[in-house]
Amino acid sequence: MNFRKLKKAAAAVMAAAMCVTMVFGASVSAAEKKSAWSEAKSLTTAKYNSKYIKWAEKYSAKETEKTVSYSKSRTKKFYDKMTAALGKDDAEVALSLLDNEVILYFASKGDKCKLILHLNDEGIGIYIDSDKVTVVSIEDKAMLSDDATESYMQDTEAIKDLFDFGIDKNSKGKIFKFKSDEKTYCYEEFEGDSYNVGFLFNEKDKPIAMVIDGDGCCFNLSYSVKDSEFDLPKGYTDLSDLI
């Protein structure tokens, strides 16, 4: 699945969520609000830097004779660390993929999880705990809650599956190293089962951008999530009592 397909998946989720929130547009004024992208990003811990995307896409398009074995790559080291972290019973995770139009953000801790989506100038948030599900219309700055069911609860195993790219353990990928502002960066790209996938790593070998079949986005992943991450946004109108 490339980032364009991730955008299509986000659109499908957005459409389903908007069916629940159709009442928002008729009930709440959205005058003098921030752009939906900025407001959606403010509800996440996602970091955006356009130069990371430009660098990653630039080196994805380049050819090189320098290669790295997957078994010795930063990409495998990242995947192994992620798999181990998300395999724990008390796993916590905050993951985001974003460019200047789309935000896909997921956070999970204990029995709480949160999904923030922005697409086509519209944003939606879904906050879930053991008691209730709250759907947030970011554009209208309104929210609506309902009782939670077990089927809503999220599993971090899905994230591991998402990043299982099917890269052969004996494969070799291209590698670039470069400096900017006295910092060293590395880009690695491998061929997976269905598409080429690349990661841009900072000097601490932390992935900061991702490219799938030439389409790039900023990448953020954390295994520590604050409890406040699941606080409902302030300044939003609660419509639950009006329905």
Side-chain angles (χ1 to χ4, degrees):
M1 180 184 293
N2 61 26
F3 196 53
R4 293 183 183 90
K5 290 182 179 178
L6 285 174
K7 291 178 182 180
K8 290 181 180 179
V13 176
M14 180 79 74
M18 289 307 291
C19 289
V20 179
T21 60
M22 287 176 62
V23 67
F24 289 165
S27 303
V28 180
S29 171
E32 299 181 1
K33 63 182 180 296
K34 296 179 182 178
S35 73
W37 186 94
S38 296
E39 182 69 16
K41 183 177 176 298
S42 73
L43 300 181
T44 76
T45 58
K47 296 180 180 179
Y48 174 77
N49 192 322
S50 61
K51 70 180 181 181
Y52 293 162
I53 298 176
K54 291 178 181 178
W55 288 344
E57 291 182 340
K58 171 185 174 181
Y59 286 104
S60 178
K62 279 181 173 286
E63 297 296 331
T64 180
E65 295 181 355
K66 294 183 178 180
T67 62
V68 59
S69 298
Y70 181 65
S71 61
K72 298 181 179 179
S73 68
R74 292 167 176 80
T75 302
K76 183 179 185 301
K77 182 179 178 181
F78 148 69
Y79 182 72
D80 288 347
K81 180 180 179 180
M82 180 189 69
T83 299
L86 298 185
K88 298 178 180 178
D89 292 337
D90 58 349
E92 302 176 17
V93 62
L95 168 70
S96 63
L97 303 173
L98 67 161
D99 61 13
N100 62 352
E101 295 180 346
V102 174
I103 297 174
L104 306 176
Y105 179 83
F106 173 79
S108 177
K109 181 178 182 179
D111 63 355
K112 296 181 180 180
C113 65
K114 168 182 173 181
L115 177 68
I116 302 293
L117 297 173
H118 176 270
L119 185 69
N120 297 331
D121 297 323
E122 295 181 338
I124 203 79
I126 303 175
Y127 292 72
I128 302 171
D129 60 28
S130 58
D131 297 321
K132 65 180 180 179
V133 177
T134 300
V135 180
V136 172
S137 171
I138 295 172
E139 182 180 7
D140 297 314
K141 301 199 74 171
M143 65 179 73
L144 183 65
S145 297
D146 198 0
D147 293 339
T149 64
E150 187 176 352
S151 61
Y152 279 113
M153 305 316 295
Q154 301 297 319
D155 190 341
T156 54
E157 289 291 327
I159 296 178
K160 289 195 294 183
D161 293 341
L162 177 64
F163 288 96
D164 184 2
F165 305 111
I167 300 172
D168 188 281
K169 63 180 181 180
N170 297 315
S171 67
K172 291 186 177 181
K174 60 183 180 181
I175 183 172
F176 297 91
K177 292 182 180 179
F178 62 96
K179 284 189 175 182
S180 178
D181 296 329
E182 303 302 319
K183 295 181 179 180
T184 301
Y185 298 86
C186 179
Y187 179 79
E188 295 180 348
E189 184 171 299
F190 293 88
E191 182 178 350
D193 283 341
S194 304
Y195 44 77
N196 292 339
V197 58
F199 283 98
L200 175 67
F201 296 89
N202 65 13
E203 58 186 358
K204 296 181 180 180
D205 289 345
K206 181 178 180 179
I208 54 177
M210 179 180 178
V211 175
I212 300 180
D213 281 349
D215 198 11
C217 61
C218 286
F219 179 92
N220 301 273
L221 178 63
S222 174
Y223 306 114
S224 178
V225 182
K226 294 181 179 179
D227 291 337
S228 59
E229 178 75 18
F230 306 98
D231 293 343
L232 295 176
K234 295 181 180 179
Y236 280 59
T237 301
D238 190 346
L239 302 181
S240 302
D241 294 334
L242 303 180
I243 305 302

